[in-house]
Amino acid sequence: MRELRTHAVSHLPFFLIWVGVVLAFAVCYFFLSYIPGHGLIENVPSETVLGRALSALYFSVITGATVGYGDVLPLGFSRALAALEGIVSFVLLAVFVSRVASRQQAEAIRDIHSLSRDSLFNNFRHGLFIARKDLDKLIEKIDLGEHLTERDYKNLRTSFRQMQTQIRNVPQLYAMSSGTIDEDHEQLVLDSVERSLRRARETVDKLDGTGNSCRADEKCMAEF
């Protein structure tokens, strides 16, 4: 509802300008109606002042709306005014349409930007979550005293690499948010990174305790 009010306010000046143009030309048509050969021709001529004023206003509105029914025709100088009013109204209409289109395009770009940012943010947290879940499985095997296979060590290196990739995307989260992230999202980012690094350190410490230290594996330590 607030956005609708904002759009209405932003478009109001163009409507007021158009109304002003229509009224200004209507006044001109009205006074020209008293000059022979320069007024308006109607199917049913108006003899009263009010009738002429209404006819001038009607013709100006129809011309300003670029409709032109043809039931009222201009003569003499009124024809030049009618042409000028048509051009001015057409320009105002073109500016109004381009402004509306530009606003809608800006809103669409902003929505796409917001969706891209949210998608990147969700992928960031989800990537770290998956890496932590893989480390949790490894920690569980260590706690149960199960033998770790080469595949387990490979999964360990993959988890470290996944964390590294996601943490490298942190600057992009700020870049997609014009250099700043709201406090709630930033806290979630920091929390995800902190928990992931803590889990990685816990996994390495667990391996140290079993005698199968990750520190002896160059590939493992490189990723860590």
Side-chain angles (χ1 to χ4, degrees):
M1 185 63 70
R2 184 178 301 175
E3 291 181 357
L4 291 176
R5 289 201 204 98
T6 302
H7 291 339
V9 171
S10 63
H11 299 154
L12 182 61
F14 288 94
F15 177 73
L16 294 178
I17 292 173
W18 182 83
V19 171
V21 169
V22 168
L23 292 177
F25 277 94
V27 171
C28 295
Y29 296 136
F30 172 74
F31 285 110
L32 287 173
S33 66
Y34 286 95
I35 302 177
H38 295 283
L40 302 173
I41 299 177
E42 306 176 64
N43 294 332
V44 180
S46 301
E47 299 298 335
T48 64
V49 175
L50 179 60
R52 290 191 178 193
L54 292 176
S55 296
L57 179 61
Y58 167 77
F59 178 74
S60 183
V61 171
I62 294 302
T63 303
T66 65
V67 178
Y69 289 121
D71 54 341
V72 179
L73 300 176
L75 293 175
F77 192 66
S78 292
R79 298 177 65 183
L81 286 181
L84 179 61
E85 182 180 5
I87 294 174
V88 172
S89 298
F90 180 80
V91 171
L92 286 175
L93 179 63
V95 173
F96 174 77
V97 171
S98 64
R99 187 179 178 87
V100 171
S102 177
R103 180 181 293 274
Q104 291 178 344
Q105 183 180 20
E107 291 177 351
I109 293 175
R110 186 167 57 250
D111 291 340
I112 293 173
H113 181 81
S114 177
L115 289 174
S116 299
R117 181 193 59 196
D118 292 342
S119 177
L120 183 62
F121 177 79
N122 291 332
N123 289 339
F124 168 80
R125 296 191 65 215
H126 182 70
L128 290 181
F129 174 77
I130 295 299
R132 290 197 304 271
K133 293 297 290 183
D134 290 339
L135 293 181
D136 285 341
K137 294 178 181 178
L138 186 59
I139 291 175
E140 183 179 1
K141 291 189 68 172
I142 296 174
D143 290 339
L144 293 175
E146 297 181 11
H147 175 70
L148 299 183
T149 64
E150 178 58 31
R151 183 177 182 82
D152 292 325
Y153 281 98
K154 182 178 180 181
N155 290 339
L156 175 63
R157 294 192 294 269
T158 301
S159 298
F160 287 163
R161 191 179 305 116
Q162 173 73 3
M163 289 182 179
Q164 179 178 241
T165 300
Q166 294 303 323
I167 292 175
R168 282 179 175 173
N169 289 332
V170 171
Q172 293 185 22
L173 295 176
Y174 282 88
M176 292 288 288
S177 303
S178 302
T180 59
I181 302 179
D182 63 88
E183 185 176 350
D184 292 337
H185 280 77
E186 186 170 45
Q187 188 58 46
L188 289 174
V189 169
L190 294 175
D191 181 64
S192 295
V193 172
E194 182 183 5
R195 283 189 293 167
S196 299
L197 295 179
R198 189 188 306 122
R199 196 68 48 80
R201 182 55 185 266
E202 181 183 355
T203 305
V204 173
D205 290 342
K206 288 278 187 179
L207 285 171
D208 287 345
T210 63
N212 299 316
S213 177
C214 178
R215 304 177 195 279
D217 188 334
E218 293 183 1
K219 294 182 180 179
C220 180
M221 286 306 298
E223 296 299 341
F224 180 63

